[in-house]
Amino acid sequence: MERRTFLRGAVIGSSAAAFGGTLMHGAAYAAPAQPGAGPYGALGTADANGIMLPSGFTSRVIARSGQTVGGTSYTWHNAPDGGACFTDGSGWIYVSNSEINPSGGASAVKFDSSGTVTGAYRILSNTRQNCAGGKTPWNTWLSCEEVSLGYVYETDPYGVNAAVQRPAMGRFKHEAAAADPVRQVIYLTEDETNGCFYRFIPTTWGNLSSGTLQVLKAGTATSGSFTWQNVPDPDGSPTATRSQVSGSKKFNGGEGCHYANDTVWFTTKGDNRVWQLNLTNNTYELAYDDSLVPGGAAPLTGVDNVTGSSYGDLYVAEDGGNMEICVITPDDVVAPFLRITGQSSSEITGPAFAPAGNRLYFSSQRGTSGSSSGGITYEVTGPFRV
């Protein structure tokens, strides 16, 4: 469905009382019909897994770092991070990165049509700090290294083909990727305080072995028009890719990235913003900025990984904050969808929907221990809007 610009006359749901004020373009906030409640209602008390959910939703643990997955012999990786789901016959696969350095890599869990775990295995090894990434239309997983001069690796979620390094997509501190099948490009975020936003144009769509890396150029304002310019040396040496093009727009800590309906959204954790690129007219604007929420009552803080539902809702995971996944709806509601309790030293990572849209997967990267060896991967099932 078509998504409107967020926070134009926005409705905000949070644990705070309803408030009034202004945000972007003088837009007035309206009090939500149910203060503290999003489209699924208010969060209930924490369940046995320590997760607060709206009525009708349930959670289960899928995997824990250092322990075998389900009835398999495969040991789940540490520090689970970015993830995505892929169809697999009548079932599906959830892929998850490992944000540790060295080793890193990515793993996969297979489910049958009833949601039972039927297998788990490694799909990428011997890489560094694989943070986020993105799913391609040809059903591969792009696993991104969040290190200086990091690579993008194209991996096979089905575990058949070996992972392939994709240097043409640039060497920089990668974070997330999002495929645009209309323009046949891959968008890329960069996790630097003065990072850039990129797109990669493959020579042949569906083959990432060669192509052109471009960087977004725009002014310093929070909205306006943008253009793209080629990055002369995608290998980032001796000059970093973010420093090669005069006028490239800087973003404070690029994180999650999601494409749908001629729009790409991405988050910047350094300033807690969600950005929106309108690709039909080449303009950009802020979709969410917690610093403009009156009274310090922002419902979403520590923006990080992001995914979208078939209904058109965005789900934004928090790195810190209240350990929430918040939903931003097509009707401009911003509200908590879930909250993990008792894990304040962790962050939420890897949100992704199963193909049917009725199951949401995500991880707490460091779990209750606060250590990378304490990661927990969850599934939430319920009446999601599809």
Side-chain angles (χ1 to χ4, degrees):
M1 65 181 294
E2 181 179 357
R3 173 180 289 279
R4 299 201 311 276
T5 302
F6 306 139
L7 301 186
R8 298 285 183 92
V11 177
I12 304 294
S14 75
S15 58
F19 49 83
T22 59
L23 185 56
M24 297 147 48
H25 307 284
Y29 281 115
Q34 293 179 291
Y40 299 108
L43 302 183
T45 57
D47 64 12
N49 296 317
I51 300 181
M52 299 170 63
L53 292 163
S55 178
F57 290 86
T58 58
S59 75
R60 67 168 172 159
V61 173
I62 297 300
R64 294 180 184 271
S65 296
Q67 298 183 22
T68 55
V69 180
T72 74
S73 60
Y74 183 76
T75 301
W76 197 236
H77 56 262
N78 289 348
D81 206 284
C85 284
F86 299 81
T87 57
D88 181 42
S90 60
W92 60 91
I93 294 168
Y94 177 65
V95 166
S96 171
N97 279 345
S98 176
E99 195 188 11
I100 57 174
N101 187 6
S103 294
S107 303
V109 182
K110 293 183 67 171
F111 301 86
D112 66 16
S113 58
S114 67
T116 300
V117 173
T118 60
Y121 46 89
R122 196 78 168 175
I123 62 171
L124 177 65
S125 300
N126 301 318
T127 55
R128 302 172 297 161
Q129 203 161 322
N130 296 78
C131 196
K135 178 181 178 179
T136 69
W138 49 94
N139 286 323
T140 59
W141 167 246
L142 302 179
S143 185
C144 298
E145 289 185 313
E146 189 195 357
V147 294
S148 179
L149 298 180
Y151 288 100
V152 174
Y153 288 84
E154 187 170 15
T155 69
D156 178 14
Y158 305 96
V160 176
N161 299 310
V164 180
Q165 192 179 83
R166 297 302 189 191
M169 300 184 75
R171 296 193 64 188
F172 52 88
K173 198 174 182 180
H174 284 277
E175 183 69 32
D180 176 352
V182 176
R183 290 151 200 86
Q184 299 188 341
V185 302
I186 308 289
Y187 303 103
L188 301 160
T189 56
E190 181 178 26
D191 193 358
E192 299 274 10
T193 56
N194 62 340
C196 291
F197 188 79
Y198 304 87
R199 72 175 185 181
F200 177 68
I201 308 173
T203 303
T204 302
W205 185 237
N207 183 343
L208 303 179
S209 62
S210 66
T212 302
L213 183 68
Q214 297 184 325
V215 66
L216 185 142
K217 291 184 60 175
T220 58
T222 54
S223 64
S225 60
F226 67 84
T227 59
W228 300 99
Q229 185 168 325
N230 292 354
V231 175
D233 297 308
D235 64 0
S237 179
T239 303
T241 55
R242 65 185 181 278
S243 302
Q244 293 181 23
V245 175
S246 177
S248 58
K249 186 167 180 62
K250 306 304 180 185
F251 296 96
N252 189 355
E255 293 285 343
C257 190
H258 176 70
Y259 168 86
N261 301 325
D262 296 320
T263 306
V264 61
W265 295 272
F266 64 97
T267 62
T268 50
K269 190 167 59 181
D271 48 19
N272 208 59
R273 289 170 166 174
V274 181
W275 297 83
Q276 175 176 322
L277 300 187
N278 307 303
L279 301 169
T280 54
N281 60 9
N282 288 336
T283 61
Y284 71 95
E285 58 193 305
L286 278 177
Y288 176 81
D289 184 354
D290 80 333
S291 70
L292 299 181
V293 177
L300 172 60
T301 58
V303 300
D304 204 305
N305 290 173
V306 59
T307 194
S309 72
S310 59
Y311 185 86
D313 295 323
L314 285 186
Y315 289 76
V316 185
E318 290 185 337
D319 179 355
N322 293 326
M323 280 293 287
E324 293 176 341
I325 294 179
C326 289
V327 60
I328 305 179
T329 76
D331 297 324
D332 300 329
V333 174
V334 184
F337 168 70
L338 65 79
R339 179 182 302 159
I340 301 177
T341 63
Q343 300 185 29
S344 59
S345 296
S346 187
E347 63 183 276
I348 299 180
T349 59
F353 281 95
N358 62 341
R359 300 170 190 258
L360 176 66
Y361 296 92
F362 59 93
S363 295
S364 171
Q365 189 179 81
R366 296 176 292 278
T368 57
S369 71
S371 166
S372 63
S373 61
I376 309 171
T377 298
Y378 299 95
E379 173 195 84
V380 165
T381 303
F384 288 100
R385 308 196 300 181
V386 294

